[in-house]
Amino acid sequence: MHELSIAESVIDAVTARTGTANVKTLRLEIGQLSGVVSGALRFCFELAAEDTPLAGAMLEISEPVGEAHCRTCDRDFGVSDLVLLCSCGSADVAVTSGQELRILSAEVC
């Protein structure tokens, strides 16, 4: 379960910036094509945050949808999985959104 190592890395990154200040709310952006399961990350975050300044923090996750651009027909389209095929039949596509994994903000108290 790679969500545990992601949760630990997020906690390390936040505490590197906030020090020992208690974090009330943590906002993350996890794209739907990132390969990260938000529910699993929530569970792992709660476990990993114990005995840290993030213990009890509310975790807010936004999940941008997947979008791609076809280089053949120059069309933008939505994607829900990593089978990247444009309706024109081309597989020459680039993912433009949905792979994000970012810390947006941390509210300390």
Side-chain angles (χ1 to χ4, degrees), residues 1-12 41 44-45 48:
M1 177 182 295
H2 66 286
E3 282 82 358
L4 180 57
S5 63
I6 292 170
E8 291 169 339
S9 294
V10 166
I11 291 166
D12 290 345
L41 181 62
C44 292
F45 177 81

Side-chain angles (χ1 to χ4, degrees), residues 20-61:
T20 59
N22 288 328
V23 175
K24 179 180 177 183
T25 305
L26 180 62
R27 292 174 188 87
L28 304 177
E29 183 176 49
I30 302 173
Q32 292 180 357
L33 302 178
S34 67
V36 177
V37 178
S38 295
L41 181 62
R42 283 183 190 281
F43 176 78
C44 292
F45 177 81
E46 286 183 26
L47 294 176
E50 288 181 15
D51 301 324
T52 75
L54 283 87
M58 182 183 347
L59 189 59
E60 295 179 0
I61 299 175

